Amino acid sequence: MRSCVDGPDRGDGPVTADRTTIRAAVLDRPGVPTRIEELELDAPGEGEIRVRMLASGVCHSDLHVRDGEWERAGPIVLGHEGAGLVEALGAGVAERYPDLRPGALVALAWLIPCGRCRACRAGETWLCSASPSYTHRMPSGRTALHRPAIGGEAGDVLTYSAIGTFAERQNVPAAAAIAVNPATPPAVAALIGCCVTTGVGAMTKTADLRPGSRVVVIGLGGVGLSCVIGAALADAATIVAVDRIPAKLDLARALGATETLLAGDDDAETLAAIRDLTDGGPDVCAEAIGLPRTIELAIASLPTGGTALLVGMTPFGVRASFEAFPFVDGGRRIVGSNYGSAVPSVDFPRYAELHLAGRLPAERLVTRRIGLDDLEDAFAAMRRGEGVRSVIEFD
Ligand SMILES: NC(=O)c1ccc[n+]([C@@H]2O[C@H](COP(=O)([O-])OP(=O)(O)OC[C@H]3O[C@@H](n4cnc5c(N)ncnc54)[C@H](O)[C@@H]3O)[C@@H](O)[C@H]2O)c1
Ligand SMILES: [Zn+2]
Ligand SMILES: [Zn+2]
């Protein structure tokens, strides 16, 4: 069996690989710091490919797990916003996924459809309730990563959403790897894997914005700023960008926001300013943080017929409330948006082409380029609201 650890084989045929050693960020259990460890990665099994990671963004969903706000089994390699080069193919992949040739640039999807549940059968794969991605294992049920028996506790290691992108190399289900135009910068391809698809899709697909809409986006991280980009792509007439960090407002303007609003501690004041800037309230108010108070603010801001688009994710068990009578009387709506209602095989290449055409400036979201060892610093910066996306670049 040939080893392919020295780089991708650019030939046309299937490429096999040996077990290899990689560095990755492992979380033993939610709530403790990640550690960079050397792990053993199996050869890709049937229906799997090995990817040499080029870039991985750090998303707040990783931080939710890191900080113990979302329960997950461990040990697990976090990271779900990545891109890399196809390095080796497991059995059956070449026949079924002709795009996944060794050397192809792929953006990785954190949700692959099971193909059998009601949502998948209806073509709404972003609502899949039985996705193998949620098991954090390969679709076969196995894990491809292991702690070596010597120099630590031996055992299997899970991979977040079955892609675990905080790793130099990773085996992923072939269905999670979407080939994009190779001219796409790796950092942008990585962000297409989560925040770009989530935010742009929330506006253009879930909310299906009409041209001329009045839109508010609360929270301007990678997800919220992608909502701003999506609103601009959909020809919204008014885009009000709201955050508590002034630098985020400047970036939002550069990405298409027509108005910005610095949120202070007084939510009543923010609410009044939103109504003022949107001539009585927005058609769509997107919440891209995941806090009850900003979710309630988004709902309260709606005029008759308005929609609160919930994109931010709260810690498990958190509730938000609203006054029911005016909500019903005014025909208002609350809509959750998962993964920007994406069909990755269609939407990832499309977002990459929009970027290359200069219409989706995702590179502006990258505010720090870091190494794998800087992951905990990137989490700390995100907690402080500093910068937008930290992107890990692999050698
Ligand atoms: N729906 C989905 O499919 C999906 C996908 C990816 C991420 N998410 C979720 O989206 C959320 C945002 O992710 P991100 O990576 O952009 O996070 P982030 O931490 O980079 O951004 C959050 C932003 O909210 C701002 N903020 C915090 N409190 C605020 C307040 N009270 N008022 C105004 N602004 C405030 C921060 O300054 C920051 O700019 C997270 O909850 C994440 O889990 C959802
Ligand atoms: Zn994410
Ligand atoms: Zn399904």
Side-chain angles (χ1 to χ4, degrees):
M1 190 184 280
R2 226 161 6 122
S3 166
C4 63
V5 290
D6 294 326
D9 183 319
R10 289 177 186 271
D12 283 337
V15 180
T16 53
D18 292 325
R19 203 178 226 222
T20 187
T21 303
I22 61 148
R23 292 174 80 242
V26 183
L27 185 77
D28 265 313
R29 59 181 184 285
V32 302
T34 53
R35 272 196 321 233
I36 308 303
E37 293 184 27
E38 289 207 336
L39 302 173
E40 286 176 359
L41 178 63
D42 290 343
E46 187 174 348
E48 302 170 13
I49 64 167
R50 182 181 291 173
V51 172
R52 178 159 76 83
M53 221 62 77
L54 295 178
S56 174
V58 179
C59 173
H60 206 117
S61 299
D62 298 303
L63 186 57
H64 284 307
V65 182
R66 155 68 183 82
D67 284 350
E69 294 175 348
W70 295 353
E71 201 44 57
R72 292 276 183 274
I76 186 166
V77 172
L78 291 181
H80 64 279
E81 188 176 80
L85 297 177
V86 177
E87 196 172 54
L89 311 179
V93 174
E95 299 75 27
R96 183 143 180 235
Y97 299 91
D99 286 357
L100 299 183
R101 279 187 290 276
L105 176 66
V106 290
L108 300 176
W110 54 253
L111 199 168
I112 60 169
C114 77
R116 294 180 301 277
C117 75
R118 200 180 163 90
C120 283
R121 283 187 278 122
E124 297 182 322
T125 52
W126 58 92
L127 302 179
C128 176
S129 55
S131 170
S133 309
Y134 293 141
T135 67
H136 311 292
R137 294 168 177 274
M138 296 298 108
S140 64
R142 78 174 191 126
T143 62
L145 267 186
H146 316 278
R147 273 186 166 139
I150 26 174
E153 201 185 320
D156 293 344
V157 178
L158 302 167
T159 49
Y160 195 54
S161 298
I163 56 176
T165 58
F166 297 155
E168 293 170 335
R169 292 182 157 74
Q170 199 59 280
N171 287 4
V172 305
I178 311 299
V180 296
N181 188 323
T184 315
V188 169
L191 300 197
I192 287 173
C194 186
C195 67
V196 165
T197 292
T198 297
V200 173
M203 287 299 176
T204 59
K205 298 192 74 180
T206 318
D208 197 10
L209 281 189
R210 271 183 258 170
S213 297
R214 295 161 300 166
V215 174
V216 171
V217 180
I218 306 175
L220 305 173
V223 173
L225 288 169
S226 296
C227 289
V228 169
I229 294 174
L233 271 172
D235 289 329
T238 305
I239 306 172
V240 182
V242 185
D243 204 286
R244 51 182 186 153
I245 311 275
K248 304 286 177 92
L249 305 183
D250 297 339
L251 188 48
R253 265 199 196 275
L255 295 173
T258 59
E259 317 283 342
T260 56
L261 184 56
L262 189 64
D265 288 334
D266 185 345
D267 288 345
E269 215 172 85
T270 309
L271 179 60
I274 287 175
R275 290 210 176 113
D276 200 38
L277 290 167
T278 53
D279 194 21
D283 300 306
V284 172
C285 187
E287 200 276 358
I289 309 166
L291 291 176
R293 64 183 272 203
T294 40
I295 290 171
E296 290 172 1
L297 178 65
I299 297 168
S301 76
L302 301 177
T304 301
T307 298
L309 187 66
L310 305 191
V311 189
M313 303 269 200
T314 65
F316 289 176
V318 161
R319 306 179 78 90
S321 67
F322 60 93
E323 190 185 342
F325 184 87
F327 190 86
V328 179
D329 191 50
R332 294 167 173 86
R333 296 190 301 166
I334 301 174
V335 174
S337 179
N338 193 40
Y339 214 176
S341 304
V343 177
S345 56
V346 175
D347 292 319
F348 283 11
R350 194 168 61 78
Y351 294 145
E353 294 302 338
L354 280 170
H355 169 75
L356 292 169
R359 297 179 58 205
L360 201 165
E363 78 288 351
R364 302 291 301 267
L365 305 178
V366 181
T367 48
R368 292 168 87 215
R369 293 176 190 267
I370 60 172
L372 188 57
D373 297 283
D374 305 316
L375 177 61
E376 283 292 322
D377 290 344
F379 281 145
M382 182 171 261
R383 284 189 204 98
R384 293 191 297 267
E386 240 174 64
V388 183
R389 272 302 191 256
S390 296
V391 174
I392 297 170
E393 293 186 318
F394 297 89
D395 299 331

